Amino acid sequence: MIRTRSRLSRSIRVLSLALSAMLVGDASASTRYIVHQAESDWRQGVAEQVVISSLGELRLSRAVTMLPMPDPKTIAVFSLVEAPDGTIYAGTGAGGKLFRRDDDQLVEVADFGPAQQVSALAIDARGRVRIGLSGPEGGLMRLEDDKPVRVFTSPDVLYVWAIHVDPDGAIWLATGPNGQLSGLDAQGDNPRLVHDSDQANLLSLAADEQAVFVGTDPDGLVLRIERRNGHASVLFDSPRSEIGGPVSDGGRGGGARPAPTAGGGRAARRADDATLVPLPGPERAPPAPDPAPIPGGLPRPEPMNDAGARLDPLRLDPPARPTQFVALQDDDAPMPIEPDPDPDAPAEAPGNAAGPGLAPPTARRAAPMDAPADGNSVYHISAEGVSRELWSGDAVLLSMARLNDALLIGTGNRGRLLQLSLAGQELYEAAQIDALQIPAILPTRDGRVLLGLANAAGVAALSAGYATVGTYESPVLDATQPARFGNLRLRGNLPEGTSMLVQSRTSQVADPLAAGWSEWSAPAPAEEFVRIDRPGGRFLQYRIILQSEGKATPALSQVAVSY
């Protein structure tokens, strides 16, 4: 019996040791990591006033203020223009009206009737508003003492899709449904037919000293039309049916550059349309100065590689010879821009910290830009007609404008405002907009960006600065078994005037709304390693709070959770 009890006692001790090993775990086991660094990783979480770059960075969005429409029957703001004195005008439909911004309100200036829409706006050489109307009484109006005066009408013209004003005052009109290009003299009068194409609609306009460039429907052509004789040749033949939307100014004509305009929105746009924006050829930005030390001895983070997200003043110098950026569209194509994963990030142990502060971002590059044949694409077209695809995705593109070294793209699916870097081919959502469509984009002289919205109609103003605070809450992370979490390792940038806070919580249940989660930890300043001081558990969430004084944005490119 003693032997039996002794044997039983030894068995109990062995079982106890085994249970202890199961609960405590193998002390020699290697540390594991859950890493967030790609756009697809961040998209699984919830972002508020935070945007996600295609290269895998979290940043603050632009600060947004809304100007609601005074007329509840308005469904869309199709066009915007800035007068020389900074006054903003907005054209709407259905029920075409012209509004003027007074302080933080939109005041009605003119009503063109329930069947009309204000599809294009421009400022002529004398500073007067030119109004392109689409509908049964389509044509061109000018505003005289806040009263519209008709200056152009034609039985062949129902739609005025785009207006271009030369520096000498001559005006060009892209029209439909008979695909005609009309011109007015330097006084903005005496309309004449310049070119009668075999297309249904001329949807967009650009110009240099020798020619006018138009985008067409239904063959998706970019036509070059000679100024002196109206001869047309095909500069670009796209695989899509339409090239249309807002147009920025181009060409040096020996005078002041016309006021920036946005518009050309269509009341019933097709999904397979495109946008033409004439821009100067690629320019190399000047080299950035060497980083200066931040007071306190910490090294200054690397400058953000965000190109168009910088708050440089708008460059309004007209190009010597414009080139075009064309957005070609088709439905249901996946967005191909995706950052390459960083294979070395998970293998770096927390004990190898180089010093305090956030670790510098790991090197990233844009994924190859090979788009599916039926994707929606943005192309660069040189003055000689050489085309190059910059981006492809599944967004319905309604408007486009240039902001420094980036393109702003307004979409029709979920009303996203995309910013596409011309230098690095990086794409991200510049701001969170509460509308389904963005038919018009207008960069203003003071550094803001105005958006014409549809469903719900309104004007959104993006400030020249960033939101002061934004949050990102991760999805629930699963260690697959109960674990002791160690640290959050952060990589990113903290420019002067910005900060970042980190929180975490743990649980044994996966549902983030269920009981059983620990309290969120107190917000801790972001450093390269932030200790997770929550109880052990199988599941974890982290929360990042990005803060700014408005002039710059913090950027987070990687979070690695050790356990």
Side-chain angles (χ1 to χ4, degrees):
M1 292 293 297
I2 293 176
R3 232 163 73 182
T4 304
R5 282 164 44 193
S6 174
R7 192 176 296 154
L8 177 62
S9 176
R10 285 196 302 271
S11 299
I12 291 174
R13 285 198 299 270
V14 170
L15 177 61
S16 176
L17 289 172
L19 287 171
S20 297
M22 289 174 63
L23 293 173
V24 175
D26 184 1
S28 65
S30 61
T31 302
R32 297 182 180 181
Y33 296 87
I34 300 173
V35 180
H36 282 177
Q37 64 181 2
E39 180 188 12
S40 57
D41 300 330
W42 304 118
R43 290 288 179 196
Q44 299 175 54
V46 177
E48 294 186 7
Q49 296 301 311
V50 169
V51 297
I52 302 171
S53 159
S54 65
L55 296 186
E57 280 194 340
L58 298 182
R59 305 176 190 144
L60 285 169
S61 72
R62 297 277 181 164
V64 179
T65 57
M66 290 295 302
L67 295 176
M69 300 304 304
D71 183 355
K73 297 180 181 179
T74 301
I75 64 169
V77 175
F78 287 117
S79 51
L80 296 166
V81 72
E82 181 181 17
D85 62 0
T87 301
I88 302 297
Y89 291 88
T92 71
K97 292 185 177 182
L98 181 69
F99 291 88
R100 179 181 60 240
R101 178 176 179 174
D102 287 344
D103 297 326
D104 291 329
Q105 300 182 41
L106 293 173
V107 178
E108 183 177 321
V109 176
D111 185 347
F112 301 101
Q116 300 292 113
Q117 74 175 42
V118 180
S119 50
L121 290 172
I123 302 297
D124 66 19
R126 295 173 56 183
R128 299 172 299 186
V129 179
R130 294 285 175 153
I131 306 158
L133 295 180
S134 292
E137 299 177 5
L140 182 69
M141 314 279 283
R142 71 167 176 260
L143 202 63
E144 296 274 7
D145 299 324
D146 279 352
K147 296 184 182 301
V149 177
R150 185 175 292 272
V151 295
F152 168 73
T153 185
S154 168
D156 293 328
V157 172
L158 295 178
Y159 317 119
V160 175
W161 296 125
I163 306 171
H164 176 83
V165 181
D166 284 341
D168 64 3
I171 297 174
W172 304 88
L173 306 177
T175 71
N178 293 296
Q180 296 179 347
L181 176 69
S182 295
L184 289 80
D185 61 21
Q187 286 70 45
D189 297 314
N190 302 316
R192 70 190 189 283
L193 178 62
V194 177
H195 179 73
D196 191 358
S197 74
D198 60 358
Q199 301 290 292
N201 292 283
L202 306 184
L203 300 176
S204 53
L205 275 174
D208 64 13
E209 293 179 345
Q210 289 80 38
V212 177
F213 303 89
V214 296
T216 77
D217 156 55
D219 290 340
L221 305 175
V222 178
L223 299 180
R224 173 189 169 93
I225 302 175
E226 301 294 335
R227 287 176 178 266
R228 55 186 178 85
N229 58 15
H231 174 73
S233 58
V234 176
L235 181 70
F236 179 69
D237 185 356
S238 82
R240 305 294 172 238
S241 64
E242 295 186 8
I243 299 177
V247 177
S248 68
D249 304 287
R252 302 184 192 275
R257 178 177 180 152
T261 64
R266 305 188 66 183
R269 297 183 66 100
R270 299 216 304 260
D272 57 340
D273 60 359
T275 304
L276 166 68
V277 176
L279 299 173
E283 299 175 355
R284 292 190 177 273
D290 293 333
I294 292 178
L298 296 180
R300 180 180 295 276
E302 299 175 4
M304 286 190 301
N305 183 23
D306 59 5
R310 296 185 183 278
L311 294 178
D312 300 331
L314 287 176
R315 299 172 189 160
L316 296 180
D317 295 331
R321 192 175 184 191
T323 59
Q324 275 62 257
F325 284 85
V326 178
L328 310 178
Q329 296 201 83
D330 215 2
D331 290 330
D332 304 324
M335 185 176 295
I337 295 185
E338 196 68 46
D340 286 346
D342 179 6
D344 299 325
E348 247 178 285
N352 297 333
L358 290 174
T362 54
R364 303 290 181 88
R365 67 178 180 85
M369 303 298 291
D370 296 335
D374 58 350
N376 306 335
S377 303
V378 175
Y379 279 78
H380 173 264
I381 306 174
S382 73
E384 292 74 28
V386 178
S387 63
R388 177 171 60 95
E389 185 182 57
L390 297 180
W391 171 79
S392 179
D394 61 353
V396 177
L397 311 181
L398 298 182
S399 53
M400 190 158 67
R402 184 173 183 177
L403 181 66
N404 299 329
D405 294 325
L407 290 176
L408 294 176
I409 304 170
T411 75
N413 45 353
R414 304 185 306 278
R416 300 171 64 201
L417 179 68
L418 306 179
Q419 183 158 325
L420 175 64
S421 165
L422 302 183
Q425 296 182 2
E426 177 184 15
L427 184 80
Y428 64 94
E429 194 169 345
Q432 296 176 339
I433 306 299
D434 188 18
L436 294 181
Q437 292 95 24
I438 305 176
I441 303 175
L442 175 66
T444 62
R445 295 185 183 88
D446 62 4
R448 296 173 302 152
V449 175
L450 300 182
L451 308 175
L453 307 180
N455 296 313
V459 176
L462 277 63
S463 73
Y466 294 93
T468 56
V469 62
T471 61
Y472 175 81
E473 191 170 300
S474 77
V476 174
L477 307 183
D478 186 1
T480 70
Q481 61 183 353
R484 291 175 297 179
F485 293 98
N487 296 288
L488 293 166
R489 181 175 185 179
L490 309 178
R491 291 182 181 270
N493 291 304
L494 289 176
E496 188 173 357
T498 71
S499 61
M500 197 181 298
L501 300 174
V502 183
Q503 295 178 278
S504 60
R505 67 173 186 165
T506 57
S507 176
Q508 296 288 8
V509 296
D511 186 352
L513 302 179
W517 282 85
S518 69
E519 297 292 327
W520 285 101
S521 62
E527 297 181 318
E528 181 173 3
F529 297 101
V530 178
R531 180 172 176 77
I532 300 171
D533 62 351
R534 298 291 88 187
R538 173 174 170 174
F539 303 99
L540 176 136
Q541 275 189 298
Y542 64 83
R543 179 188 291 158
I544 307 295
I545 303 171
L546 292 82
Q547 298 175 321
S548 171
E549 296 175 359
K551 295 182 179 180
T553 175
L556 184 65
S557 59
Q558 185 188 87
V559 173
V561 180
S562 64
Y563 65 96

